[in-house]
Amino acid sequence: MNDSASSLNYITLLFGMTRLLVAFYILFLVGIKKQNSIYLPFKGYQRVFLFFFGLWSLILAVYYLYPGKVLLPRIYSLVYVALPFTTLTFFYFCFTYTFPQKIYWMKYLLWLMIIPLVTAIFAIVPDYNKYFVIFTTDIIYIPYRDIKEIYQPWFYVHSAYSYALVLIGTIFLIIKVKYPSTQNRKLCVYAIIATALFIFQNVYRTFITVEAAVWFGPLISVAVATLFFLVVYADESQILVIKGQEKLMKALLFPIFLLDKDGRIIYANKEAKEICSNIYQSNQVIGFRQDIMENFAPYQIESEIDKSNFFANEENIILQSKVDGSIFYLHQQEIAIRGKKSQEEVGTMLMLVAISSMQNFLSTLEDKAFKDPLCGCYNRHFLEFKQAEFAVLGDALQELLPISFIMCDIDGLKVVNDTYGHDKGNEYIILCHQILNSSVHSDDFIFRLGGDEFLVILTNSEQRVAQERVTAIEAKMQEIKKEYNTSISIGYATADKLPVDFLQLIKEADQQMYQKKNQRKKDIF
């Protein structure tokens, strides 16, 4: 070859132009954004992979089209910036594509960036080339122009790392193909083919002649980019398990199934797998809607309902487990999923709520909202609820008349707390509540309004009945006076006709209570 090393022969020029076209094509694919599609983690990694792949081709195009030789080593060193990140983002794509429900593992896999970062530093910082590749200015023609490189130890570390990532990523794709629940096997196979071409491209000089490489290399790059693009944007798997949804499903304690439009189970949380363990193998969903039905029978529903069409009913259904007889409320809801050709299709979410669990949940919720945690009686929140209820009743409140309010204030609670401690004070509060509870009827309402204040509401109780309750309470308090040397101040008020002023009754009972408390203090002193 008599051409000057600084000149471009037609093959080098042709190879540079083809690489430039490939770079523009790949970067064009990166810029395409598909509308109305569900965000999937692997889609982002696929775009980053294509970006570095296109950058790789763009750097090669500049390298082959640049006429001089002085800057060639600097230009070519940039290839080793794009190359390791191409293989790394390829690995990330394969992982998130195969295991979309394991996206939270990515925080651990980010450490894999260390070797590409070190490689990039060694490649572009002249002082560190000695650990990676020594770029000479010697030009060779094979038949296109290229420079001679002298490989150093880190080059082999970088190469082994890159090929290991590509190999492991390929294994991930093969695993996805073998999943029983995978419904897009054809596209997974396309991804594996693209991976094979990607590997082949990096070693093509070993297998084909250099003349063929001028055309064959760029064609392989186009094929790889196109196949990976189609794998993501032609995916018809209808995957619903994205990051936020996965966390939500795991947080819910009810069995939940997600079904596609054909009734296939495409996701089930832990609770669902436990209740329908017969339709799972190796933690992968393989069942259909009828398989879920095999675990249950309709509860209090006509027996002539067709079993195969049972789930077609969009109404909520009560089911009974055939295993332990548990009763479940089945809630069905349509959900939007990404289907063929970007069009939205309709799937179904099934939620099974144990009736007993729901009752316990509501009961616990009511207790926390309306019950005093120390005494177990009603709290101030429930008093506000009753006040609103009385207001709504209007004239119907006549049936509860006469109605009496009894206000009680524990005397000397501070002395008990200061002398014996708050635990003893709490015992005293509980004891006072027990006295109140034993002195009124079961249909009366007892409220603890604060640390030492109680309110008792007596329905269908005239003033005489309220006085009897007060007398009973005071008598029982005398029985514990020796132990605690304290007392209780009580006041009451009665309404025997409409309208009933809720707040006014409390105020009157409260005033009478404080009159007795003040009188007791005067008697002491």
Side-chain angles (χ1 to χ4, degrees):
M1 182 72 63
N2 295 322
D3 291 346
S4 171
S6 63
S7 64
L8 298 177
N9 63 13
Y10 78 96
I11 294 180
T12 301
L13 180 62
L14 183 61
F15 195 54
M17 292 300 299
T18 56
R19 280 293 175 183
L20 186 62
L21 293 175
V22 170
F24 287 161
Y25 172 76
I26 296 175
L27 294 176
F28 169 75
L29 295 181
V30 174
I32 295 179
K33 292 184 179 180
K34 195 169 188 180
Q35 301 298 323
N36 301 323
S37 60
I38 288 178
Y39 168 76
L40 298 171
F42 60 76
K43 184 182 293 185
Y45 290 110
Q46 178 255 13
R47 289 169 63 100
V48 178
F49 162 73
L50 289 180
F51 170 79
F52 280 110
F53 195 37
L55 182 62
W56 183 2
S57 292
L58 183 61
I59 294 171
L60 285 176
V62 174
Y63 167 77
Y64 287 114
L65 294 176
Y66 183 76
K69 70 175 184 177
V70 177
L71 294 180
L72 288 185
R74 296 294 97 222
I75 297 174
Y76 195 78
S77 65
L78 296 177
V79 170
Y80 291 105
V81 177
L83 195 154
F85 284 102
T86 302
T87 57
L88 177 63
T89 51
F90 164 81
F91 170 83
Y92 286 162
F93 162 79
C94 293
F95 177 81
T96 52
Y97 185 63
T98 305
F99 309 108
Q101 73 279 12
K102 304 291 185 182
I103 185 64
Y104 58 91
W105 283 12
M106 285 303 301
K107 61 184 178 182
Y108 305 110
L109 296 177
L110 291 177
W111 289 100
L112 293 174
M113 287 188 179
I114 292 177
I115 290 183
L117 288 172
V118 172
T119 300
I121 293 172
F122 284 178
I124 61 179
V125 178
D127 292 341
Y128 296 123
N129 288 159
K130 59 185 178 181
Y131 301 113
F132 182 52
V133 174
I134 297 177
F135 301 98
T136 70
T137 55
D138 297 331
I139 301 298
I140 57 177
Y141 289 87
I142 51 173
Y144 50 83
R145 183 191 63 176
D146 211 339
I147 63 172
K148 184 178 179 181
E149 300 170 82
I150 302 175
Y151 301 141
Q152 301 301 309
W154 188 261
F155 176 86
Y156 299 100
V157 173
H158 145 80
S159 298
Y161 165 88
S162 297
Y163 280 109
L165 288 183
V166 174
L167 178 61
I168 295 173
T170 306
I171 293 173
F172 286 161
L173 295 175
I174 294 174
I175 291 174
K176 185 174 180 66
V177 170
K178 294 180 69 65
Y179 273 175
S181 61
T182 298
Q183 299 167 31
N184 59 336
R185 286 185 174 83
K186 183 184 294 185
L187 292 172
C188 290
V189 172
Y190 289 162
I192 294 173
I193 293 173
T195 303
L197 291 175
F198 181 66
I199 296 173
F200 186 69
Q201 174 184 261
N202 288 279
V203 293
Y204 68 86
R205 293 180 185 178
T206 306
F207 298 96
I208 60 178
T209 64
V210 291
E211 288 82 6
V214 175
W215 297 102
F216 201 54
L219 287 176
I220 292 178
S221 297
V222 170
V224 170
T226 303
L227 285 173
F228 274 115
F229 179 84
L230 292 177
V231 164
V232 171
Y233 288 95
D235 192 345
E236 299 176 3
S237 62
Q238 301 169 326
I239 298 174
L240 288 176
V241 187
I242 61 177
K243 183 176 180 181
Q245 289 176 331
E246 176 71 6
K247 289 184 177 180
L248 173 62
M249 298 305 175
K250 286 185 176 180
L252 295 175
L253 300 180
F254 308 128
I256 294 177
F257 297 91
L258 299 183
L259 314 176
D260 66 11
K261 67 181 182 64
D262 297 319
R264 294 184 294 248
I265 305 173
I266 55 178
Y267 174 74
N269 63 0
K270 177 182 177 182
E271 287 70 21
K273 293 179 181 179
E274 290 176 351
I275 200 170
C276 296
S277 58
N278 62 307
I279 61 174
Y280 297 95
Q281 293 179 0
S282 302
N283 293 324
Q284 296 303 315
V285 184
I286 61 173
F288 295 86
R289 306 183 83 177
Q290 290 79 4
D291 294 322
I292 301 176
M293 187 56 205
E294 290 179 0
N295 295 271
F296 303 94
Y299 182 75
Q300 296 180 346
I301 298 179
E302 298 298 330
S303 59
E304 62 266 17
I305 290 183
D306 183 4
K307 178 179 176 180
S308 62
N309 293 327
F310 184 70
F311 282 96
N313 185 357
E314 295 184 358
E315 297 179 356
N316 298 312
I317 300 169
I318 305 298
L319 301 177
Q320 185 170 21
S321 171
K322 294 180 179 179
V323 178
D324 58 9
S326 301
I327 309 300
F328 291 90
Y329 165 84
L330 173 66
H331 173 69
Q332 302 184 75
Q333 181 176 335
E334 288 187 348
I335 50 177
I337 59 180
R338 189 176 71 82
K340 298 179 179 180
K341 299 180 181 179
S342 305
Q343 296 177 351
E344 286 192 349
E345 298 184 3
V346 175
T348 307
M349 179 181 72
L350 303 182
M351 179 185 296
L352 289 162
V353 182
I355 298 297
S356 59
S357 298
M358 179 59 75
Q359 290 174 342
N360 292 336
F361 172 74
L362 294 176
S363 176
T364 302
L365 188 64
E366 180 179 343
D367 286 344
K368 289 184 177 180
F370 294 144
K371 295 292 183 67
D372 178 74
L374 181 63
C375 300
C377 61
Y378 293 112
N379 58 18
R380 185 179 291 275
H381 294 297
F382 191 67
L383 178 62
E384 295 171 356
F385 174 80
K386 294 301 293 183
Q387 180 182 358
E389 183 182 53
F390 282 6
V392 172
L393 284 175
D395 293 342
L397 189 60
Q398 181 72 44
E399 297 180 2
L400 301 179
L401 296 180
I403 186 170
S404 297
F405 283 25
I406 300 177
M407 286 292 297
C408 306
D409 186 87
I410 302 173
D411 300 324
L413 179 61
K414 186 177 185 303
V415 176
V416 175
N417 285 332
D418 294 343
T419 305
Y420 304 103
H422 286 278
D423 289 341
K424 197 69 175 178
N426 288 340
E427 290 181 10
Y428 183 43
I429 294 173
I430 294 173
L431 183 58
C432 291
H433 169 259
Q434 291 173 348
I435 290 174
L436 293 176
N437 196 45
S438 62
S439 303
V440 300
H441 291 172
S442 58
D443 55 353
D444 296 332
F445 297 93
I446 301 177
F447 305 85
R448 184 185 176 206
L449 304 184
D452 56 0
E453 286 189 338
F454 288 89
L455 170 66
V456 183
I457 297 180
L458 314 175
T459 56
N460 303 118
S461 300
E462 57 190 15
Q463 186 174 0
R464 176 186 57 81
V465 175
Q467 179 60 55
E468 292 175 356
R469 300 280 200 279
V470 170
T471 301
I473 294 170
E474 291 176 336
K476 291 181 180 180
M477 285 297 298
Q478 286 295 322
E479 297 177 5
I480 65 170
K481 189 175 181 62
K482 292 181 180 180
E483 180 179 358
Y484 291 95
N485 193 27
T486 57
S487 60
I488 188 169
S489 298
I490 306 176
Y492 64 91
T494 302
D496 51 13
K497 62 180 180 180
L498 297 178
V500 175
D501 191 329
F502 197 92
L503 296 179
Q504 182 61 31
L505 282 175
I506 293 179
K507 183 178 180 180
E508 291 178 8
D510 198 54
Q511 288 176 345
Q512 187 182 116
M513 177 192 72
Y514 275 103
Q515 288 175 2
K516 290 185 177 182
K517 183 183 287 288
N518 293 332
Q519 184 62 46
R520 183 174 290 108
K521 290 180 180 179
K522 291 179 181 179
D523 293 342
I524 294 175
F525 295 103

